[in-house]
Amino acid sequence: MSQLVTGDAVVLGLRPARLPSRALAVFIDLVVLWGTYLALSMALLSATGSLDEAATAAVAVALLVLVLMGGPVVVETLSHGRSLGKLVCGLRVVREDGGPIRFRHALVRGALGFVEIQMTVGVVACIASLVSARGRRLGDVFAGTLVVRERIPVARPTPVPPPPPGLAGHFAELDLSRVPEALWLAVRQYLLRVDQLDPQVSWSMAQRLAADLAACTGAPVPEGMPPATYLSGVVAERQTRDARRAFGARPGAGWPGGTAAGQDGSEPDGSGQDGPGPPPPTAPPSRTPPVPSGPPAGQPPSAGGPEREGPGDGERRTGFVPPA
């Protein structure tokens, strides 16, 4: 990665293009340029067949300069440093401060590129790129430009190895707010490479990082705990807090009595865990004496037959239940 500093003292992390990708881009551009030049030459020669030899030579030289030298200048100026070959290979020409190129940069590159690429079959350009630390040819050196890669593969993040199961919640009371990000990054890089280090080097690095981490948190490393285990446990606690802060509040906050509402909107039960509570107690069913289906004793039945009332009809009508 190239350390380029802008006028505002900002360091740019640009990746210069390597020689194979640049050679492929130049090859694609030369194929297009020479194909265009040959097609235009055949068309002009057929159209100017009646001219003398001097006029024909002048037309051929003008076409050579306009197409093979002026073509790259026009294309890089209009596309801000992206010719057809660079577009295919994911490259771009930029200034040394990271800004887009202008006409003067493209003109110097095109004029010197015609000499060091086309007239010498690319030998001078290859030697200059191999000698330069950032792969710059002579046109880039005199124009103050640089060819960089635009499509950079992104590496997948590697997860930090989890701590032993017995450390779950062991560092829940630590104050991690005073730990700087640089120390977190150093601890994470150590945990990712702990299997690749020499045992003695790994032990010394773990002790130093654990001491720095304990000084920031204000709590010493527990006795008998290996420093690598301590580092993995503290990193796991920080990741747990970050995930809790990003995806939801910690259970036990925001409700009186140290309970929290469940994620489905229900209140917690008496056990302190999220979830629906126990069902409310239901009142026992009222025991009402059964209402006789026939007339009382000593009273003759009506002419229309025995009148049947459902259980509870009299209660619904008068609110009085006759005695049995």
Side-chain angles (χ1 to χ4, degrees):
M1 184 174 291
S2 177
Q3 298 293 334
L4 301 181
V5 182
T6 64
D8 298 331
V10 178
V11 179
L12 299 178
L14 300 178
R15 293 193 176 187
R18 300 297 180 89
L19 181 59
S21 59
R22 295 190 60 178
L24 179 59
V26 170
F27 177 76
I28 295 175
D29 292 337
L30 289 180
V31 169
V32 175
L33 285 176
W34 279 96
T36 304
Y37 171 72
L38 293 177
L40 292 178
S41 298
M42 294 177 62
L44 288 178
L45 288 177
S46 61
T48 59
S50 59
L51 298 178
D52 55 358
E53 294 182 0
T56 304
V59 171
V61 171
L63 185 63
L64 177 69
V65 172
L66 289 177
V67 176
L68 298 183
M69 186 182 298
V73 175
V74 174
V75 171
E76 289 189 355
T77 302
L78 297 179
S79 62
H80 299 288
R82 297 191 72 182
S83 61
L84 179 61
K86 292 181 177 61
L87 180 64
V88 173
C89 297
L91 308 179
R92 180 187 287 273
V93 182
V94 297
R95 301 196 306 258
E96 286 186 325
D97 59 354
I101 64 173
R102 298 181 180 179
F103 173 73
R104 58 186 180 89
H105 305 97
L107 180 61
V108 175
R109 280 178 49 83
L112 291 178
F114 180 78
V115 177
E116 63 177 332
I117 294 178
Q118 301 190 46
M119 294 185 63
T120 62
V121 201
V123 175
V124 176
C126 290
I127 295 176
S129 298
L130 292 175
V131 172
S132 175
R134 293 182 291 182
R136 303 169 70 190
R137 61 179 179 87
L138 295 180
D140 295 319
V141 174
F142 285 98
T145 57
L146 178 67
V147 181
V148 297
R149 298 172 57 189
E150 282 194 323
R151 294 196 295 263
I152 301 176
V154 180
R156 295 183 179 180
T158 306
V160 177
L167 291 182
H170 189 78
F171 302 102
E173 303 299 330
L174 287 183
D175 182 14
L176 305 179
S177 59
R178 294 181 298 174
V179 182
E181 291 296 330
L183 183 56
W184 285 123
L185 180 60
V187 173
R188 177 181 175 84
Q189 291 178 349
Y190 165 76
L191 293 176
L192 291 176
R193 300 175 54 192
V194 64
D195 296 334
Q196 306 173 4
L197 300 176
D198 183 75
Q200 295 182 355
V201 176
S202 175
W203 182 264
S204 61
M205 290 182 62
Q207 283 185 331
R208 180 173 55 84
L209 292 174
D212 295 342
L213 196 59
C216 294
T217 58
V221 181
E223 285 190 38
M225 180 177 294
T229 305
Y230 170 77
L231 294 176
S232 62
V234 175
V235 170
E237 176 63 25
R238 190 207 180 192
Q239 292 178 350
T240 302
R241 294 184 185 182
D242 291 343
R244 188 183 298 126
R245 190 181 305 112
F247 299 106
R250 179 178 180 179
W255 282 79
T259 58
Q263 296 181 358
D264 56 351
S266 59
E267 297 185 4
D269 52 15
S271 61
Q273 301 179 355
D274 295 346
T282 57
S286 59
R287 298 181 177 274
T288 57
V291 181
S293 58
Q299 181 177 356
S302 58
E307 183 179 359
R308 298 181 178 270
E309 293 183 0
D313 288 344
E315 183 180 357
R316 288 198 300 268
R317 294 176 181 176
T318 62
F320 173 74
V321 179

